[in-house]
Amino acid sequence: MSLSDQELVEQIKAGEKTSLEALLGRYQDKVYRLAMSFTKNPADAEEVLQDVFLTVYRKIASFEGRSAFSTWLYRITVNTALMKLRGRGPAQESIDGYLPQFTKDGQHARMVVDFTDGPEKLLLLKEREQILREAIEALPPDYKVVLVLRDLEGLSNEEVAEVVGASVLAVKARLHRARLALRGRLERYAMASGVRP
């Protein structure tokens, strides 16, 4: 019978090193995938993975169990990946240009492309998938984190809030703006390439 995360954590705190290996083995693929979603580079993702596991090893004694171990681990992973990005790169572009624009009377300033009738057609082609990846990559870190954790990793809004250290309301707002920005960026691509809904 497999031990729970909490049981493994308690064994680790008691000095059982094989429990640490078991716990990290359980999350290795998830941590690497999450790191890849931020770094977009296998070498950097591997380095993030190693840094995360080293941090867990050093700080497991301070884990109090007020949240799930996985939430604590995701928080460490996100912070480590963001530090890696800050150390290497150019600033992200603003998402404001991709958000819906409104006239003074509250109407849309430009037509909004409706993707509901067949997003599969738009996203299945490799070129268009690349556009989506680039759109996600271009998001500022605060928006990218919530989008990746919520939409790609499947965490709940509450779990995302705990990972990023924000309120659920703030997570929902960032997620909404990130999705609108992606939609706006994809809309511009669709218009430029002649794709119509």
Side-chain angles (χ1 to χ4, degrees), residues 10-179:
E10 292 307 318
Q11 288 183 356
I12 295 164
K13 287 181 176 183
E16 183 61 48
K17 293 196 187 291
T18 58
S19 296
L20 179 64
E21 292 172 16
L23 191 60
L24 297 181
R26 185 177 289 177
Y27 286 99
Q28 180 174 345
D29 291 342
K30 291 179 182 180
V31 168
Y32 180 80
R33 187 177 65 239
L34 185 57
M36 268 299 286
S37 68
F38 288 105
T39 64
K40 303 296 183 214
N41 178 308
D44 286 344
E46 188 66 38
E47 192 173 316
V48 168
L49 176 70
Q50 291 173 7
D51 290 348
V52 166
F53 285 175
L54 185 58
T55 300
V56 168
Y57 175 74
R58 289 179 178 162
K59 297 191 176 189
I60 193 77
S62 69
F63 176 65
E64 298 174 359
R66 285 183 281 170
S67 61
F69 173 79
S70 59
T71 302
W72 184 66
L73 183 64
Y74 280 143
R75 181 181 300 156
I76 293 169
T77 304
V78 167
N79 290 339
T80 304
L82 290 177
M83 290 296 286
K84 170 65 79 180
L85 290 177
R86 282 187 205 113
R88 78 166 180 195
Q92 303 294 322
E93 68 179 278
S94 170
I95 65 171
D96 292 336
Y98 298 103
L99 296 176
Q101 305 295 313
F102 298 96
T103 61
K104 290 180 182 176
D105 62 351
Q107 301 294 315
H108 279 282
R110 65 184 192 294
M111 284 298 282
V112 176
V113 175
D114 180 8
F115 291 109
T116 58
D117 290 336
E120 309 83 17
K121 291 179 185 176
L122 181 65
L123 299 177
L124 285 179
L125 299 172
K126 286 190 178 217
E127 176 187 355
R128 292 178 183 147
E129 288 176 357
Q130 180 64 29
I131 295 297
L132 180 59
R133 283 192 295 273
E134 289 172 3
I136 292 170
E137 185 62 28
L139 290 171
D142 287 349
Y143 296 99
K144 183 178 173 183
V145 167
V146 296
L147 184 84
V148 168
L149 291 174
R150 182 72 177 97
D151 291 348
L152 301 181
E153 292 298 319
L155 273 63
S156 69
N157 287 334
E158 292 77 15
E159 290 170 320
V160 174
E162 200 166 333
V163 168
V164 300
S167 69
V168 173
L169 188 60
V171 165
K172 288 180 179 180
R174 289 179 197 167
L175 184 60
H176 181 69
R177 286 180 58 86
R179 288 173 177 165

